[in-house]
């Protein structure tokens, strides 16, 4: 019976990985947009961005997930009921991805904001003096150098996001944690299946750390090469 569940567990691992990667894409996008707003946006938008990061970082991921999934569904259905329309059901996968992306978007906002502030201002002033437009300065100078400083923070937040993705099983998504629970109950071997899930997470962590190390070395080499060229 144990071997019968292994293909299902592998399928659940693939679904969990999809949740992680899509949540990461949402979080990076939100983080970059909000970091730019905090640094260069109008005052009212900076207040909105600050409120978002402060509020979200102060609430546990599970609470936000439940609020978006159950609370959001109740609000939407209440509004639809006033319009005489039938109820809708939120998609578990999409709700989980958005919840995790929104939570870690707040953390990535601070990561990117700090990395932007580390970029040498002299280079920006020199680029403007050479006649580059602000959009060119941002795209060619600020963004590449910001990423070199942000890689450690991106890695740390990714590891937190990866672990938080296991909470989606509470919403009923059939990821590897949910499947491990079902398999453990059916076979009376819960430790075995949870141990397999832990090993899968460890493999993802090891591969991620290795990939981010390569990325950090590549950006460090690019930065040092550019510095020597300027010298």
């Amino acid at each position: 019976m144990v071997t019968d569940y292994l293909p299902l567990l592998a399928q659940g691992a693939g679904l969990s990985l999809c949740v992680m990667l899509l949540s990461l894409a949402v979080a990076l996008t939100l983080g970059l947009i909000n970091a730019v707003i905090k640094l260069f946006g109008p005052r009212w938008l900076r207040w909105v961005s600050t409120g978002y990061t402060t509020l979200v970082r102060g609430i546990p991921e599970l609470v936000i997930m439940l609020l978006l999934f159950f609370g959001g569904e109740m609000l939407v259905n209440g509004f639809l009921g006033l319009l005489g329309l039938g109820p809708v059901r939120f998609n578990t996968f999409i709700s989980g991805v958005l919840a995790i992306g929104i939570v870690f978007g707040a953390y990535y906002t601070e990561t990117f904001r700090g990395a932007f502030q580390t970029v040498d201002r002299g280079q920006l002033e020199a680029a403007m003096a050479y006649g580059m437009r602000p959009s060119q300065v941002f795209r060619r100078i600020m963004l590449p150098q910001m990423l070199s400083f942000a890689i450690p923070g991106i890695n740390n937040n990714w590891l937190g996001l990866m672990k938080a993705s296991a909470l989606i099983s509470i919403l009923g998504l059939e990821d590897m944690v949910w499947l491990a629970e079902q398999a453990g109950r059916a076979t009376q071997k819960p430790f075995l299946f949870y141990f397999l899930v832990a090993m899968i997470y460890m493999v993802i962590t090891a591969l991620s750390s290795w990939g981010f190390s390569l990325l950090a070395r590549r950006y460090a080499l690019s930065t040092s090469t550019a510095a020597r060229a300027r010298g």
Side-chain angles (χ1 to χ4, degrees), residues 5-26:
Y5 283 96
L6 294 181
L8 288 176
L9 194 62
Q11 182 179 350
L15 181 60
S16 295
L17 188 59
C18 288
V19 170
M20 297 174 200
L21 294 176
L22 289 176
S23 299
L24 178 65
V26 173

Side-chain angles (χ1 to χ4, degrees), residues 53-68:
T53 55
T54 303
L55 180 66
V56 170
R57 289 191 299 164
I59 301 176
E61 294 90 345
L62 179 59
V63 175
I64 293 179
M65 201 175 297
L66 295 175
L67 281 173
L68 286 178

Side-chain angles (χ1 to χ4, degrees), residues 147-165:
L147 288 175
S148 67
F149 295 117
I151 287 174
I154 293 175
N155 183 26
N156 290 335
N157 287 325
W158 157 251
L159 296 178
L161 183 152
M162 181 190 68
K163 291 183 286 187
S165 67

Side-chain angles (χ1 to χ4, degrees), residues 155-191:
N155 183 26
N156 290 335
N157 287 325
W158 157 251
L159 296 178
L161 183 152
M162 181 190 68
K163 291 183 286 187
S165 67
L167 297 173
I168 292 187
S169 62
I170 295 176
L171 303 182
L173 184 68
E174 296 181 4
D175 64 344
M176 60 178 170
V177 177
W178 188 89
L179 289 170
E181 180 184 2
Q182 302 304 312
R185 290 180 179 179
T187 61
Q188 300 298 315
K189 298 180 184 297
F191 177 82

Side-chain angles (χ1 to χ4, degrees), residues 205-217:
T205 299
L207 292 176
S208 300
S209 299
W210 175 74
F212 276 108
S213 297
L214 291 179
L215 193 62
R217 286 199 293 269

Side-chain angles (χ1 to χ4, degrees), residues 81-158:
L82 294 176
L83 299 178
L85 301 176
V88 297
R89 289 284 298 172
F90 277 14
N91 183 278
T92 306
F93 179 85
I94 296 175
S95 299
V97 166
L98 290 178
I100 296 174
I102 289 171
V103 169
F104 283 88
Y107 291 101
Y108 278 120
T109 296
E110 298 304 317
T111 298
F112 290 142
R113 185 178 68 87
F116 272 126
Q117 292 177 328
T118 310
V119 176
D120 183 12
R121 298 297 169 183
Q123 297 181 39
L124 308 181
E125 294 172 0
M128 296 293 288
Y130 273 103
M132 294 179 66
R133 295 189 299 272
S135 60
Q136 292 177 316
V137 174
F138 178 81
R139 188 177 67 254
R140 297 180 180 179
I141 298 177
M142 287 195 70
L143 189 60
Q145 294 201 45
M146 178 277 294
L147 288 175
S148 67
F149 295 117
I151 287 174
I154 293 175
N155 183 26
N156 290 335
N157 287 325
W158 157 251

